[in-house]
Amino acid sequence: MPVDRTRRISRRRLGLVLAAIVVVLVAVNVATKFGPAGTGLVAGPLVAIGLLLLGRRAGLTWHDLGLAPHTLTRGIKYAAGAVLAVAVVYAIAAAIPATRPAFQDGRYDLHLSAVLQTAFVVIPFGTVLLEEIAFRGVLHGLVNRHRGAVWASVVSSALFGLWHILPSLRLAEANQAVGDAVGGGTTGQILAVAGAVGFTALAGLLLCELRRRSGSLLAAAALHWATNGMGLLVGAALATVRFA
């Protein structure tokens, strides 16, 4: 019978570790929003590495973190399926006039080189890497180890939703579909932020389930990138097309 070499930590220490992670994530969120351009691209990988070291120090195994080598093949299969599914959904949505405005987001009004850099560098390394390691890796792993899978999904997904408060402050203004749905002014901004928090929390639950089923963080990261990166690519492509 294999020996369990993992260890649990006290409730007090668990609370301190979780609080430290939240404080770090808040600091990164604020710095990315209000700091110099490119802050997230630099801070994201560094903080992700730091969180992994913290998770390991707290007793998490690579399996707890969703990074076990034996789950890589299964994770790749799930990742490929996730990217394909998003591509199909986005292609259909882009082809339908009623859903096409969802891709019109002023925050991504960029030149082609900037679009490609954002989709293939900024989003995967400045956004997806940190968020997946933080929320579906370390936070999920810690809570799952000490409180179980349900609590792990709920806590990490709720925090993932709150993480999107600052990035969504201009959502109603930048995204035509959202602006039309919630209106303008302060009320529209509040509704847009609340909607973004709720939507991303639900998305977090989906990502947690994908991570659970595949056993790999790679699957969740692929779906996360596809949702953001391919959305940007489709939006940029649509911006160059004239519709009758």
Side-chain angles (χ1 to χ4, degrees):
M1 183 176 180
V3 177
D4 183 5
R5 299 184 182 278
T6 62
R7 66 181 187 275
R8 290 177 178 269
I9 58 178
S10 67
R11 179 178 298 182
R12 179 175 180 274
R13 188 180 176 194
L14 174 63
L16 290 174
V17 172
L18 292 175
I21 293 173
V22 170
V23 169
V24 169
L25 291 176
V26 169
V28 173
N29 207 343
V30 172
T32 300
K33 176 67 177 179
F34 300 107
T39 297
L41 189 56
V42 175
L46 293 177
V47 173
I49 293 171
L51 291 179
L52 283 177
L53 294 175
L54 180 61
R56 293 286 289 168
R57 180 70 177 174
L60 297 182
T61 66
W62 291 117
H63 181 73
D64 292 328
L65 294 166
L67 297 171
H70 70 271
T71 64
L72 181 60
T73 300
R74 187 174 177 84
I76 290 174
K77 292 178 180 179
Y78 270 84
V83 172
L84 179 61
V86 172
V88 171
V89 170
Y90 278 6
I92 294 172
I96 300 174
T99 53
R100 195 176 296 144
F103 296 101
Q104 298 172 345
D105 195 317
R107 294 173 300 176
Y108 296 141
D109 186 12
L110 307 169
H111 295 295
L112 178 60
S113 60
V115 167
L116 296 176
Q117 180 181 11
T118 302
F120 295 108
V121 178
V122 176
I123 290 177
F125 296 104
T127 300
V128 174
L129 178 64
L130 171 59
E131 292 182 3
E132 290 308 315
I133 286 178
F135 295 101
R136 260 71 61 184
V138 179
L139 283 170
H140 186 281
L142 281 169
V143 180
N144 183 50
R145 168 66 65 82
H146 298 276
R147 295 294 181 268
V150 173
W151 273 107
S153 294
V154 170
V155 171
S156 64
S157 298
L159 291 173
F160 185 57
L162 294 174
W163 166 266
H164 287 83
I165 290 177
L166 285 181
S168 62
L169 289 178
R170 291 185 56 248
L171 182 59
E173 176 186 345
N175 189 288
Q176 178 182 332
V178 174
D180 291 343
V182 302
T186 303
T187 300
Q189 183 182 40
I190 293 173
L191 290 174
V193 171
V197 170
F199 178 81
T200 51
L202 291 175
L205 291 174
L206 174 61
L207 292 169
C208 285
E209 179 62 14
L210 186 60
R211 178 230 194 277
R212 184 189 71 81
R213 287 178 177 272
S214 66
S216 173
L217 208 59
L218 181 61
L223 178 59
H224 193 163
W225 173 82
T227 303
N228 291 5
M230 293 180 68
L232 169 60
L233 294 172
V234 172
L238 289 175
T240 67
V241 178
R242 289 179 175 268
F243 296 97

